[in-house]
Amino acid sequence: MIESREDLDAIKQSCHSMVTRSSGLSAGAAIIPIPGVDLGSDVAILMRLIPRINEKFGLSPEQIESLDTDSKLFVMTAISNTGSKLAGKYITKKLIVTVLNKMGIKVAAKGVTKFVPLIGSAVAGSISFTAMKVMGNRHIEDCYQIALAALEEERLAHEIVIEPEPAKNSPQP
């Protein structure tokens, strides 16, 4: 459970490290000059990465479902407000492919450059690394904003309001 902004910042840093490692794997697959290998590996990488990020931020479907009704409603509204397509969702191959298609230019460019002699594979690898990094970091930022809003909402809900006591020497009506 995320109890403070410091916890949230540590989770964010940990997720950035996961994204960097996954981006390296994506780049490695992109340099293999076989059509479709890189896209297939990107889908597989994202199907593991996105649920792990969601879970670290407390935004997996199971974690959200276990919340009380008010908290669940708040989190679902926060997800909607960020426009996140991946937070709080069951991650499927179809969902990942849809998100990757929105990055279509990068995916198409990566596929074409792979066949340029000598530098093509390196360019494809760098495009793949960058696309995976951008997509992963964007998801982390969405999850961070959602979790931060939920943390602030919880803090406000548990704040104790102390009313001042009436003065002892005040005249009685």
Side-chain angles (χ1 to χ4, degrees), residues 129-164:
F129 181 90
T130 302
M132 182 70 66
K133 188 103 167 133
V134 166
M135 187 175 168
N137 287 343
R138 186 177 302 149
H139 182 59
I140 290 169
E141 193 54 41
D142 287 348
C143 289
Y144 182 85
Q145 293 304 320
I146 294 162
L148 183 61
L151 185 64
E152 183 64 18
E153 176 69 15
E154 186 176 319
R155 185 187 67 76
L156 291 173
H158 289 93
E159 220 171 63
I160 300 172
V161 179
I162 301 173
E163 295 184 28

Side-chain angles (χ1 to χ4, degrees), residues 27-165:
I31 63 173
I32 300 169
I34 300 172
V37 168
D38 53 343
L39 184 58
S41 67
D42 284 352
V43 170
I45 290 167
L46 288 167
M47 286 192 67
R48 277 194 326 266
L49 178 65
I50 299 301
R52 287 175 62 202
I53 292 170
N54 284 345
E55 188 175 319
K56 283 189 171 277
F57 280 102
L59 297 173
S60 72
E62 297 83 9
Q63 289 166 315
I64 293 171
E65 192 58 40
S66 72
L67 297 172
D68 62 77
T69 304
D70 290 340
S71 297
K72 189 185 315 181
L73 182 60
F74 183 85
V75 168
M76 295 308 290
T77 302
I79 289 171
S80 177
N81 289 343
T82 66
S84 176
K85 304 284 185 246
L86 301 171
K89 306 269 187 326
Y90 287 102
I91 304 303
T92 63
K93 183 177 179 181
K94 183 178 179 180
L95 179 60
I96 294 295
V97 170
T98 300
V99 171
L100 283 172
N101 283 336
K102 291 185 183 214
M103 300 181 78
I105 294 171
K106 290 178 183 169
V107 172
K110 180 173 68 169
V112 170
T113 60
K114 185 183 289 202
F115 299 103
V116 175
L118 301 177
I119 63 164
S121 290
V123 171
S126 68
I127 290 170
S128 190
F129 181 90
T130 302
M132 182 70 66
K133 188 103 167 133
V134 166
M135 187 175 168
N137 287 343
R138 186 177 302 149
H139 182 59
I140 290 169
E141 193 54 41
D142 287 348
C143 289
Y144 182 85
Q145 293 304 320
I146 294 162
L148 183 61
L151 185 64
E152 183 64 18
E153 176 69 15
E154 186 176 319
R155 185 187 67 76
L156 291 173
H158 289 93
E159 220 171 63
I160 300 172
V161 179
I162 301 173
E163 295 184 28
E165 292 183 29

